[in-house]
Amino acid sequence: MKFIAISLIVHAADPFTGAQKSTHERFREVVANAVLAEELGFDGFGVGERHERPFISSSPTVVLSHLAARTERIRLFTAVTTLSLLDPVRAYEDYATLDHLSEGRLELIIGKGNGAAQRDLFQVTPEDQWDRNAESYEVFRRLWGENRITYETRFRPPLVEAEVWPRPYQRPIRIWHGSATSRASVDLAARYGDPLFSANVTHPIDPYAELIDHYRERWRHYGHDPALATVGAGTAGFYAARTSQEALEAYRPVFAGYLAFQARLGVAPVFGTLEDFVERSSALIGSPQQVIDKVGRYHERFGHSVVHLNADAGGLTDAEHRASLELFGSDIAPVLRAQYPDPPLGWGPGPLLEDHLDPDDVPAPFTVTG
């Protein structure tokens, strides 16, 4: 099993004190958390993409490029790349460049995105968002593999023998499909033989398990080897301590902040108490053994081989957050790695199709001189 830490780069005031870090401080915190994740042995670090309050993750390629320079081993994820809002040609240029700067550590999780404000910003309607996502994905995928394409697009000017640079480092790149509630993204992933990443954060397990079952059924329908179907899953929260009592005591203010935020939005929470949240949501809160057991229960339903945790403190103190992640690295991750298989697709950079390259284009690691 593999583990990634993800930040959506939320920029909001503390629900109790009203204090809010500056934008600059918030970005520095994200960078520090990525470095910490690599130090603690996480396999990947991801940043979201949102174009509305309270997020400042509107430029994931810029953030990930900086993280590529500050880290050496950890794989770099998007969570998610909102292809329904983007010009796929421009997205290809940005991510192909990032793929080189990270020396093949890039992993894409794509999705249509959520939020009415960002749809309005890009003049995308709920009715055409799924079609935009599918078309942009097809163009992006074709460009990554072929570089020069002709494509009769609906949502951007048609492409006629379009040649786009740079050529990417990884060929092919692994593209995950983020899924929360829709079968459309699940079917798209299965059709192309791509891995699925279930959001798994808002509701109890059943609706997510049903979508994952649908993914595996559609995977077989499209003729793919069932053994290669790959699933990742999110978690609604994380805090590990030596005892369950310590964990609940530390996390209680965090959950109270979540309830206050839901109340301000006028939304009835799915889980009304911390105890209910710990019991019925995907949150991993408790002692190391409790966390291990809960991941196991979810694995029985999902058969997943990648788990994401929140990279941000999210209301915990910095010391609490670090201690919890350290405990995950020392007492939880080794057990889960031993008990559950890694993704069947492997974890390193994709193969280089050197027969598609000019000799001078074959990539080599960057070196610094002078």
Side-chain angles (χ1 to χ4, degrees), residues 29-311:
E29 185 175 60
V30 171
V31 174
N33 285 338
V35 173
L36 175 63
E38 180 166 83
E39 176 187 326
L40 296 179
F42 278 78
D43 302 288
F45 188 90
V47 298
E49 179 181 342
R50 294 292 288 267
H51 301 269
E52 59 186 340
R53 294 180 181 178
F55 306 93
I56 53 172
S57 50
S58 57
S59 299
T61 50
V62 176
V63 177
L64 289 172
S65 292
H66 185 67
L67 297 184
R70 293 293 306 275
T71 59
E72 296 180 357
R73 174 197 55 81
I74 201 165
R75 295 193 67 77
L76 302 173
F77 282 75
T78 64
V80 300
T81 295
T82 53
L83 279 181
S84 67
L85 308 179
L86 305 177
D87 182 324
V89 175
R90 191 70 184 97
Y92 164 82
E93 292 172 333
D94 285 345
Y95 282 111
T97 301
L98 172 55
D99 195 33
H100 280 279
L101 295 176
S102 66
E103 295 189 352
R105 289 188 283 143
L106 177 63
E107 302 255 350
L108 290 169
I109 306 177
I110 69 161
K112 73 170 182 64
N114 295 308
Q118 63 180 10
R119 281 200 307 266
D120 294 343
L121 183 64
F122 288 92
Q123 298 184 336
V124 172
T125 69
E127 293 74 25
D128 68 21
Q129 197 165 10
W130 287 113
D131 290 340
R132 286 177 178 271
N133 185 64
E135 177 181 289
S136 291
Y137 170 67
E138 172 66 16
V139 172
F140 184 96
R141 184 188 182 99
R142 289 269 308 275
L143 284 171
W144 201 279
E146 301 173 32
N147 185 249
R148 185 195 300 270
I149 70 169
T150 295
Y151 198 102
E152 188 65 30
T153 50
R154 289 175 55 201
F155 299 107
R156 57 145 290 133
L159 299 166
V160 180
E161 287 296 297
E163 187 177 23
V164 187
W165 296 94
R167 305 296 298 274
Y169 189 101
Q170 297 179 90
R171 279 188 246 155
I173 191 172
R174 184 154 52 236
I175 300 178
W176 302 71
H177 295 249
S179 168
T181 59
S182 171
R183 292 193 169 199
S185 57
V186 167
D187 190 81
L188 188 65
R191 187 189 321 162
Y192 283 97
D194 292 333
L196 181 73
F197 215 107
S198 173
N200 190 40
V201 296
T202 306
H203 303 287
I205 192 171
D206 288 340
Y208 301 114
E210 289 169 6
L211 278 176
I212 291 170
D213 289 343
H214 180 66
Y215 167 70
R216 295 185 188 280
E217 186 278 322
R218 297 306 290 169
W219 180 277
R220 292 190 296 270
H221 169 80
Y222 288 116
H224 305 303
D225 182 351
L228 299 180
T230 303
V231 175
T235 53
F238 170 70
Y239 186 72
R242 287 297 174 188
T243 68
S244 59
Q245 293 80 7
E246 291 177 78
L248 286 171
E249 182 179 355
Y251 205 83
R252 198 169 297 279
V254 179
F255 187 75
Y258 160 77
L259 292 180
F261 180 69
Q262 296 290 94
R264 287 198 301 274
L265 295 178
V267 176
V270 176
F271 310 101
T273 67
L274 175 59
E275 287 71 20
D276 187 36
F277 180 65
V278 171
E279 175 62 27
R280 293 195 304 121
S281 82
S282 61
L284 303 176
I285 299 167
S287 67
Q289 190 59 53
Q290 287 174 311
V291 171
I292 290 166
D293 291 344
K294 191 165 193 180
V295 172
R297 292 199 301 274
Y298 270 76
H299 181 78
E300 289 178 3
R301 296 290 303 275
F302 292 173
H304 61 312
S305 51
V306 181
V307 172
H308 96 54
L309 305 178
N310 191 346

